[in-house]
């Protein structure tokens, strides 16, 4: 059984966190046309409207996820990434549930997300659907894009 996760707010100053964000961006650009990559870089994740969490196991980073406030009641899930060595161990689900609980505690009533629509993103879409997210139309400033799947869930 894996060691427990320590999920905490991350200020994106550690090399481990910054490195995982950079790996996430590189992965998005490797799998998705540039015009369809909506992942935030480190500067974007440091915006005051965004909270980032990192998950740690045995002193090593296992994953990250973020929530961008879209208004008083809405938030957008951003930059979900699990370190390859931790895929399939529940890290992504734990981070997602942690973020949803934090969103609920902050008074948000709905969370939205954009993810890829092709095969490399199937595991992500399956995870989100299993946690109550439903596919929806583009939201906010997003436009229809065949490379994107949009999802939402009420809290």
């Amino acid at each position: 059984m894996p060691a427990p996760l320590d999920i905490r707010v991350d200020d994106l100053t550690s090399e481990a966190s910054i490195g995982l964000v950079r790996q996430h961006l590189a992965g998005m650009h490797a799998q998705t046309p540039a015009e369809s990559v909506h992942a935030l870089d480190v500067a974007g994740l440091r915006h005051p409207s965004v909270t980032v969490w990192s998950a740690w196991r045995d002193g090593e980073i296992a994953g990250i996820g973020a929530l961008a406030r879209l208004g008083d009641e809405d938030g957008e899930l951003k930059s979900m990434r699990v370190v390859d060595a931790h895929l399939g161990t529940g890290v992504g689900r734990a981070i997602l549930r942690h973020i949803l609980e934090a969103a609920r505690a902050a008074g948000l009533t709905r969370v939205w997300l954009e993810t890829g629509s092709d095969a490399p993103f199937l595991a992500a879409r399956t995870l989100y659907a299993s946690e109550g997210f439903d596919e929806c139309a583009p939201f906010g400033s997003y436009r229809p894009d065949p490379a994107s799947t949009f999802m939402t869930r009420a809290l």
Side-chain angles (χ1 to χ4, degrees), residues 86-140:
H86 294 276
L87 289 172
T89 66
V91 172
R93 186 175 305 277
I95 294 170
L96 177 59
R97 288 179 175 173
H98 188 90
I99 292 172
L100 294 174
E101 184 53 41
R104 196 176 292 110
L108 300 184
T109 60
R110 181 160 294 281
V111 174
W112 306 81
L113 65 87
E114 178 276 337
T115 191
S117 60
D118 57 356
F121 297 93
L122 177 60
R125 293 190 311 273
T126 301
L127 169 64
Y128 299 136
S130 74
E131 290 293 328
F133 282 85
D134 295 309
E135 288 191 28
C136 64
F139 60 94

Side-chain angles (χ1 to χ4, degrees), residues 9-83:
V9 172
D10 196 308
D11 63 4
L12 293 176
T13 57
S14 78
E15 284 303 316
S17 298
I18 292 170
L20 189 51
V21 171
R22 289 182 178 148
Q23 179 185 358
H24 177 63
L25 283 170
M28 295 302 95
H29 283 281
Q31 297 174 341
T32 307
E35 66 274 10
S36 298
V37 174
H38 304 289
L40 297 174
D41 60 12
V42 171
L45 289 169
R46 286 182 176 153
H47 189 275
S49 67
V50 179
T51 303
V52 177
W53 288 267
S54 55
W56 299 79
R57 179 171 279 150
D58 289 331
E60 293 185 3
I61 194 163
I64 56 169
L67 181 70
R69 283 196 80 119
L70 301 179
D72 291 340
E73 296 182 355
D74 295 315
E76 180 182 358
L77 189 67
K78 299 294 290 183
S79 299
M80 289 284 295
R81 180 68 177 213
V82 174
V83 172

